[in-house]
Amino acid sequence: MRKIILFSVFCFSIFFSLLPFNFLIAATLTSNETITMSAIVVEIPTANSGGVSLPHTSVQFSGEAYPDADVIILKNGQIITTAKGDKNGLFSVTVEEKYDNTALYSLYARDPMGNKSLLLNYPLVVYSGYLTHISGIRFAPTITLDKIQVSAGDYLTVAGYALPQKELQIVIENKAKKSTIFTLNARDTGRYNITFPLVNLQKGNYSTYIKYADDTRVSKFVEFIIGDTNIESADVTLNIPVDCNADGTINLTDFSVLAFSYKKQ
């Protein structure tokens, strides 16, 4: 999983007397993806100074999701707030905070159909009296398939949400990592869907993902099989391995159910 580590400028507080309080810190990337992120630490204006009144200690998140998407923000695994994407998919939310030297913030977006993006993680140090701004966040598009298994020569439909009118690339890979790429554009609503024939692909196991044409970030990988019959995706949503409570997702709730049932008949 991609990790983006943002080092707070306050780790270098010994130099603060020499610098103005409007300091940009570039993100340190742990992968070769070209993701531009920044942590901006500014002095919080007070009501008496005539500036905008913000919480004395806060963390702000802003970036791009999908139109009408819900952006969920977690701290140390617990949901603390949500934001809403506007008609262009942009979002911004400020969270009042207190000093914390081990905060792990996680974000994911949920499109209007309820499909989730990949989780983004930001380890931060939160310092009292300052706003830490993480900007430039961008979620890769969401993706769903209409079939989990496709009859050889039949059609596969891929759908999801992205930023409006953005050029997208759907990539299908076989086990040998040989890729087939389809290009399309998202609608004004951010919705996209494409149906294409699989006539030139041999039987076997495949995975697919979607990305913006101008970006290296990719969506989650979804696997499917080209075989002798069609199996709709809806037919397997209640038969996901280790989905113990049959809610269509795998998370800590499933682990709790599994642990509670361990060695029980």
Side-chain angles (χ1 to χ4, degrees), residues 145-165:
L145 307 183
D146 69 330
K147 302 178 185 72
I148 196 70
Q149 179 171 301
V150 187
S151 178
D154 210 336
Y155 292 82
L156 180 70
T157 296
V158 182
Y161 275 83
L163 293 169
Q165 299 181 333

Side-chain angles (χ1 to χ4, degrees), residues 212-224:
Y212 293 108
D214 62 354
D215 201 343
T216 58
R217 276 164 286 205
V218 302
S219 70
K220 66 180 181 180
F221 282 65
V222 183
E223 295 186 344
F224 68 95

Side-chain angles (χ1 to χ4, degrees), residues 194-239:
I194 183 173
T195 300
F196 44 80
L198 302 178
V199 292
N200 295 322
L201 299 179
Q202 301 297 316
K203 291 182 179 180
N205 295 310
Y206 292 83
S207 61
T208 184
Y209 62 87
I210 188 167
K211 61 185 286 293
Y212 293 108
D214 62 354
D215 201 343
T216 58
R217 276 164 286 205
V218 302
S219 70
K220 66 180 181 180
F221 282 65
V222 183
E223 295 186 344
F224 68 95
I225 299 171
I226 297 180
D228 296 320
T229 59
N230 287 330
I231 300 178
E232 304 294 326
S233 295
D235 295 339
V236 296
T237 53
L238 298 181
N239 193 29

Side-chain angles (χ1 to χ4, degrees), residues 7 68 117 124 129 181-182 216 236:
F7 294 98
D68 203 34
S117 72
L124 288 178
I181 299 176
F182 297 88
T216 58
V236 296

Side-chain angles (χ1 to χ4, degrees), residues 17-132:
S17 60
L18 304 176
L19 298 173
F21 283 102
N22 188 4
F23 194 81
L24 179 66
I25 308 170
T28 300
L29 303 180
T30 58
S31 72
N32 58 3
E33 294 182 349
T34 56
I35 302 175
T36 303
M37 305 294 294
S38 62
I40 302 174
V41 183
V42 296
E43 199 167 17
I44 298 296
T46 62
N48 294 332
S49 68
V52 178
S53 180
L54 290 173
H56 284 275
T57 303
S58 56
V59 179
Q60 183 177 1
F61 304 91
S62 62
E64 299 172 323
Y66 328 114
D68 203 34
D70 294 314
V71 178
I72 293 83
I73 295 92
L74 304 91
K75 179 181 179 182
N76 300 329
Q78 301 296 317
I79 296 176
I80 56 173
T81 190
T82 61
K84 198 76 173 179
D86 64 16
K87 65 179 182 179
N88 296 314
L90 304 180
F91 72 93
S92 181
V93 61
T94 302
V95 181
E96 186 171 359
E97 274 292 7
K98 58 184 179 180
Y99 172 77
D100 193 333
N101 64 350
T102 57
L104 175 62
Y105 294 95
S106 304
L107 288 79
Y108 68 88
R110 185 170 55 226
D111 70 23
M113 298 299 293
N115 300 306
K116 298 178 182 178
S117 72
L118 291 175
L119 193 71
L120 303 179
N121 294 309
Y122 306 99
L124 288 178
V125 177
V126 179
Y127 281 84
S128 299
Y130 293 91
L131 167 70
T132 302

